[in-house]
Amino acid sequence: MDYLEYKGYKGSVEYSKEDDCLCGKVQGLGNKVLIAYEGNTIGELREDFEKGIDSYLEGCKADGITPAKPFSGKLNLRMTSELHSRVAAFAANAGITINDFINKAITNELKHECAL
């Protein structure tokens, strides 16, 4: 799937049968922020996407609040101490960091899921 990108934000591109138009929403902002947009062409969709982001950023500035940022790439992960120990041992034996091991495991799982 492709995404629209603007000012560091990414947005989905979808089709609504019900409304017979293109639509989408900005990804990775958490549950409290929704920026949605629509259009009849990709150009209109992109324009509404960019206007939505600009409007959101201007509103945050006017209200004196910090805008939600897209996913940072940082994730706190909780696991049992036994699993943590096993992951650390496996990563050490493979000569990689725990972070690299977890990234590889997640990437492999997503490849597997997408192939189904």
Side-chain angles (χ1 to χ4, degrees), residues 56-73:
Y56 170 69
L57 294 173
E58 289 168 10
C60 287
K61 185 176 181 179
D63 293 342
I65 59 173
T66 303
K69 298 283 186 182
F71 292 123
S72 67

Side-chain angles (χ1 to χ4, degrees), residues 1-13 25-27 37 45-47 49-50 53 70:
M1 179 188 325
D2 248 344
Y3 291 92
L4 298 172
E5 294 185 53
Y6 181 65
K7 293 187 176 179
Y9 293 88
K10 287 187 176 185
S12 64
V13 177
K25 58 186 171 186
V26 174
Q27 305 293 297
Y37 44 89
L45 186 70
R46 180 181 311 282
E47 183 179 337
F49 166 70
E50 292 176 1
I53 291 170

Side-chain angles (χ1 to χ4, degrees), residues 47-112:
E47 183 179 337
D48 201 38
F49 166 70
E50 292 176 1
K51 283 182 181 177
I53 291 170
D54 287 340
S55 176
Y56 170 69
L57 294 173
E58 289 168 10
C60 287
K61 185 176 181 179
D63 293 342
I65 59 173
T66 303
K69 298 283 186 182
F71 292 123
S72 67
K74 295 178 183 178
L75 175 69
N76 290 323
L77 177 66
R78 290 184 176 84
M79 62 181 74
T80 64
S81 59
E82 179 186 332
L83 180 58
H84 191 170
S85 178
R86 290 176 61 200
V87 167
F90 187 93
N93 286 337
I96 60 175
T97 65
I98 292 174
N99 192 62
D100 287 341
F101 171 77
I102 292 171
N103 275 299
K104 286 180 181 184
I106 291 170
T107 299
N108 287 335
E109 184 64 23
L110 289 173
K111 284 179 186 174
H112 175 73

